Every structure is written in C-alpha cells, then in structure tokens.
Amino acid sequence: MEKTLYIPDELWKELSNYLKQHPQENLSNVIQIALKEKLRSRNGTGLLKLAGIVKNAPADASTNINSR
C-alpha cells in the first residue's frame, strides 16, 4: 500500500542524517519500526507476569540482602 505523509523539514533533516549514519536501514524500515513502537500495547501484562515469578520473599527482600 502506498501512502503520502507530511514530514516537517526539521524532522526530515534529522531522518536524513540518521539514514546517512545507518546505511543498512531505509526510510520504510525506520518508519515501520517507529510506528510499531508508538502503537504497541503498553498495558504492562508481560512485566506483571514476569514480576509474578517470585512466589515467596520476605517483605524487606529488596532492601535487606541478608533476608534469605
């Protein structure tokens, strides 16, 4: 699908400089990555799931290294 985007001059200059410094990337790739990052879910479910790994820990475990 082909679309037309408006990119302000200053942002275009930054993008052009970035692409010069990263020749392995292209305009389409950079925009797709930026959009995926902007639109990704930020509900924290993955982080909460990871935090649930610790089942039993003393209340002061984060501040007391001797509480084993």
Side-chain angles (χ1 to χ4, degrees), residues 38-67:
K38 182 69 174 178
L39 301 175
R40 75 179 170 88
S41 175
R42 297 185 189 269
N43 65 12
T45 302
L47 183 58
L48 292 174
K49 186 175 181 181
L50 178 63
I53 290 174
V54 177
K55 302 288 185 213
N56 282 324
D60 65 346
S62 66
T63 57
N64 183 358
I65 61 171
N66 296 317
S67 64

